[in-house]
């Protein structure tokens, strides 16, 4: 074989090899592990909220020298939380109020005590993930307030009480007495009488409420709003989003895969989702129900600037409600624009209703301060109305009424109007004053 022929053969081999490698690259199809589609939703990146972010006190009551003071300041509540979440609890057990030789209401609102109040009963089996509890086994109970009493602090360890007001149940845990003394020095003796004074009102034989003695000044607020990504919500709620059909309807849009239905109400910025196949209910414990409700919203970035708080739970209905809070006050809207509501089915979410906007930037407003009636006037007004069963009232609170509007550039605004509310059961109502047009008597869940 001469040299020229050898070069030709080598060149042919190199060209052939090059063609083969090019073809291999163009036609290569890598093997991936099968993608397991979640049966509930696609998880997307989110700012995860933990139990202590969502389950927070709504107010703090101070009782002393026959007087009562209250604060709903988020700053003060956070300061208190930072303290009691560092305590080490032990010896959790039920205690009998009768054995303590006092009436239940007297025990709860006793002079020299601090009441840390929550919106609704919280299962200790969930909240123990927040508290530092040394017990290996913790009794099953729920509570809606934590109470620290000055007179019960003594020795090396002293009692802190977990109370369910509706069930009239009291449990206690023991905490280092030095920490409790420091807590009372900082928050009770140091600040209790710096807050507005409240008066006690006996509603019925089992309930006393506290309302401000004097008129209350509170700012009216206006915000621009941002919209959440509808695509993210669709991907979160449907197992196979690419098979979802979209249709225009009078209120906005509908999305369906033939079973599930998601309606987008563009007028009120609301999402309504239902999965009829999940209607049959398997009853989870209240702890599991609340935890999976928090996790569900975490998994599709649904907390909207972290302004939502746990508000209400019904184990029988498998229903959980989170409410928008602004500057420590709950917000309300008759269309549901301030609530995230979940109802759970046998395996997945059965019903899900929520806003798809978040409060963006607050607007400066001239003359925005509003003076609300005193709590005493509120009580008298409720008593004077024949269509209100005063003895059934379970709570009275200042809140914001959310109203939607457009500015001169047709940008959507929401106004938060300070308003008095009262609650019967799980429904909130506007207190109807004479200058109102009869008051809004529709239930605001």
């Amino acid at each position: 074989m001469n040299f020229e022929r050898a070069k030709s053969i080598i060149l042919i081999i190199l060209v052939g090899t090059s063609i083969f490698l090019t073809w291999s690259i163009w036609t290569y199809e890598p093997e991936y592990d099968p993608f397991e589609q979640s049966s509930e939703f696609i998880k997307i990146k989110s700012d995860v909220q933990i139990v202590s972010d969502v389950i927070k006190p709504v107010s703090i009551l101070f009782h002393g020298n026959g007087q009562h003071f209250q604060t709903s300041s988020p700053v003060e509540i956070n300061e208190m939380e930072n303290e009691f979440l560092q305590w080490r609890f032990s010896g959790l057990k039920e205690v009998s109020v009768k054995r303590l030789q006092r009436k239940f209401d007297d025990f709860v609102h006793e002079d020299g005590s601090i009441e840390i109040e929550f919106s609704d009963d919280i299962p200790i089996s969930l909240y123990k993930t927040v508290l530092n509890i040394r017990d290996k086994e913790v009794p099953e109970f729920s509570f809606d307030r934590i109470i620290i009493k000055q007179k019960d602090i003594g020795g090396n360890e002293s009692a802190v009480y977990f109370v369910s007001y509706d069930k009239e149940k009291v449990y206690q845990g023991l905490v280092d007495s030095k920490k409790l003394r420091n807590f009372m020095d900082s928050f009770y003796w140091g600040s209790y009488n710096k807050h507005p004074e409240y008066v006690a009102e006996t509603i019925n034989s089992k309930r006393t409420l506290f309302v401000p003695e004097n008129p209350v000044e509170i700012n009216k607020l206006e915000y621009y709003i941002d919209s959440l990504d509808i695509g993210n919500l669709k991907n979160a709620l449907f197992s196979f989003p690419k098979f979802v059909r979209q249709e225009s309807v009078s209120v906005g849009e509908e999305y369906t895969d033939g079973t599930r239905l998601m309606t987008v109400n563009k007028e009120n910025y609301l999402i309504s989702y239902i999965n009829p196949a999940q209607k049959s209910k398997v009853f989870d414990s209240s702890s599991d129900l609340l935890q999976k409700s928090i996790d569900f919203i975490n998994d599709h970035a649904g907390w909207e600037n972290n302004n939502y708080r746990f508000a209400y739970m019904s184990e029988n209905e498998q229903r959980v409600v989170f409410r928008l809070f602004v500057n420590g006050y709950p917000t309300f809207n008759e269309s549901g624009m301030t609530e995230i509501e979940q109802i759970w089915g046998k395996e997945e979410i059965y019903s899900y209703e929520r806003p798809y906007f978040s409060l963006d930037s607050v607007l400066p407003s001239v003359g925005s301060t509003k003076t609300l009636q005193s709590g005493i006037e509120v009580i008298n007004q409720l008593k004077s109305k024949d269509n209100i069963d005063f003895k059934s009232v379970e709570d009275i609170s200042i809140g914001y009424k959310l109203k939607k509007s457009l500015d001169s550039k047709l940008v959507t605004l929401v106004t938060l109007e300070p308003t008095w509310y009262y609650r019967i059961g799980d429904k909130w109502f506007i207190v109807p004053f004479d200058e109102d047009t009869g008051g809004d008597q529709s239930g605001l869940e």
Side-chain angles (χ1 to χ4, degrees):
M1 180 182 296
N2 59 36
F3 180 69
E4 289 300 325
R5 187 176 182 184
K7 286 200 302 183
S8 297
I9 293 172
I10 292 171
L11 182 60
I12 291 169
I13 292 172
L14 290 174
V15 171
T17 302
S18 176
I19 292 171
F20 173 76
L21 292 174
T22 301
W23 177 83
S24 297
I25 291 171
W26 286 350
T27 60
Y28 174 66
E29 293 184 4
E31 292 186 5
Y32 295 105
D33 292 333
F35 174 71
E36 294 185 2
Q37 177 75 39
S38 166
S39 62
E40 294 185 0
F41 42 76
I42 298 174
K43 293 187 177 182
I44 61 177
K45 185 178 179 181
S46 66
D47 294 325
V48 172
Q49 296 288 283
I50 60 175
V51 171
S52 60
D53 296 324
V54 180
I55 301 176
K56 299 185 76 68
V58 292
S59 63
I60 299 165
L61 263 168
F62 306 87
H63 307 285
N65 299 322
Q67 296 175 295
H68 316 280
F69 305 89
Q70 181 175 301
T71 178
S72 298
S73 164
V75 173
E76 290 183 83
I77 287 174
N78 286 337
E79 288 177 355
M80 283 200 179
E81 272 191 306
N82 290 337
E83 289 290 327
F84 73 72
L85 295 184
Q86 295 178 38
W87 298 344
R88 298 182 69 184
F89 291 83
S90 63
L92 263 72
K93 65 178 182 179
E94 185 176 3
V95 294
S96 169
V97 177
K98 290 181 179 179
R99 195 182 69 197
L100 297 173
Q101 296 182 343
R102 66 189 91 172
K103 293 180 179 179
F104 176 78
D105 230 30
D106 294 339
F107 171 81
V108 173
H109 310 307
E110 188 174 20
D111 254 19
S113 64
I114 295 177
E115 285 185 65
I116 302 170
E117 297 184 292
F118 296 81
S119 293
D120 196 10
D121 274 1
I122 302 160
I124 191 64
S125 52
L126 178 61
Y127 204 68
K128 72 180 181 182
T129 63
V130 176
L131 298 175
N132 184 0
I133 298 177
R134 290 184 290 180
D135 301 350
K136 290 183 178 180
E137 295 185 4
V138 176
E140 289 291 333
F141 66 91
S142 295
F143 66 96
D144 65 352
R145 62 199 69 199
I146 298 172
I147 298 177
I148 303 102
K149 295 177 177 291
Q150 178 68 32
K151 75 177 190 58
D152 287 352
I153 301 176
N156 294 325
E157 290 186 315
S158 303
V160 171
Y161 301 97
F162 298 87
V163 174
S164 174
Y165 197 71
D166 285 339
K167 297 175 183 175
E168 295 193 359
K169 293 284 187 179
V170 180
Y171 287 76
Q172 74 171 34
L174 298 178
V175 173
D176 183 288
S177 294
K178 183 178 179 181
K179 291 187 178 297
L180 292 182
R181 289 191 191 96
N182 291 338
F183 183 83
M184 295 301 277
D185 287 344
S186 298
F187 298 108
Y188 183 79
W189 300 112
S191 63
Y192 86 97
N193 60 355
K194 296 179 181 178
H195 299 103
E197 186 166 355
Y198 277 56
V199 294
E201 175 67 30
T202 300
I203 303 297
N204 54 48
S205 61
K206 294 186 175 182
R207 184 172 299 275
T208 299
L209 296 180
F210 296 85
V211 294
E213 184 176 31
N214 299 310
V216 180
E217 288 192 353
I218 182 170
N219 287 333
K220 173 182 173 182
L221 302 171
E222 283 188 305
Y223 285 87
Y224 287 119
I225 64 172
D226 270 343
S227 296
L228 295 183
D229 191 325
I230 297 298
N232 284 346
L233 286 167
K234 182 190 76 173
N235 291 341
L237 293 168
F238 292 91
S239 297
F240 300 97
K242 67 180 181 180
F243 297 123
V244 172
R245 301 187 306 276
Q246 176 185 348
E247 293 183 9
S248 295
V249 293
S250 59
V251 295
E253 297 171 344
E254 282 186 351
Y255 297 81
T256 183
D257 61 0
T259 302
R260 301 169 176 85
L261 175 66
M262 182 177 85
T263 303
V264 179
N265 183 326
K266 291 189 174 182
E267 180 180 352
N268 291 323
Y269 291 84
L270 293 173
I271 294 288
S272 178
Y273 166 86
I274 191 166
N275 183 2
Q278 291 296 315
K279 188 171 184 180
S280 298
K281 298 173 184 176
V282 175
F283 289 91
D284 283 338
S285 69
S286 57
S287 178
D288 292 339
L289 176 62
L290 187 47
Q291 181 66 70
K292 72 180 182 181
S293 297
I294 295 171
D295 292 341
F296 179 78
I297 301 174
N298 276 337
D299 281 319
H300 58 272
W303 289 112
E304 301 179 7
N305 297 338
N306 309 332
N307 289 324
Y308 279 82
R309 301 285 179 261
F310 167 65
Y312 173 78
M313 175 171 55
S314 169
E315 192 173 343
N316 288 336
E317 296 175 296
Q318 292 288 277
R319 174 171 168 254
V320 177
V321 176
F322 301 94
R323 184 175 301 285
L324 178 66
F325 274 72
V326 177
N327 296 341
Y329 294 103
T331 65
F332 302 91
N333 173 268
E334 59 271 16
S335 299
M337 294 175 67
T338 61
E339 295 173 357
I340 299 175
E341 180 192 79
Q342 302 175 33
I343 300 176
W344 285 86
K346 55 186 177 182
E347 294 167 342
E348 305 176 14
I349 197 84
Y350 163 66
S351 172
Y352 186 42
E353 296 184 359
R354 60 159 307 136
Y356 66 90
F357 70 90
S358 62
L359 302 180
D360 183 12
S361 53
V362 64
L363 300 176
S365 180
V366 178
S368 61
T369 301
K370 180 176 180 179
T371 301
L372 294 178
Q373 298 86 348
S374 70
I376 296 173
E377 292 177 83
V378 171
I379 293 293
N380 291 336
Q381 192 69 12
L382 292 175
K383 286 180 176 179
S384 71
K385 298 298 181 182
D386 293 336
N387 62 335
I388 296 175
D389 181 5
F390 181 75
K391 291 188 178 298
S392 296
V393 172
E394 296 179 44
D395 199 359
I396 297 170
S397 175
I398 293 172
Y400 283 116
K401 181 178 181 180
L402 184 145
K403 296 183 288 186
K404 182 175 64 70
S405 61
L406 297 174
D407 70 1
S408 58
K409 297 179 182 179
L410 299 182
V411 176
T412 302
L413 303 173
V414 294
T415 301
L416 301 183
E417 183 82 27
T419 308
W420 273 111
Y421 289 87
Y422 68 99
R423 177 173 64 84
I424 295 178
D426 65 329
K427 297 186 183 299
W428 288 89
F429 306 88
I430 291 175
V431 176
F433 284 96
D434 292 338
E435 61 266 28
D436 300 333
T437 56
D440 184 353
Q441 292 300 294
S442 60
L444 303 172
E445 296 182 3

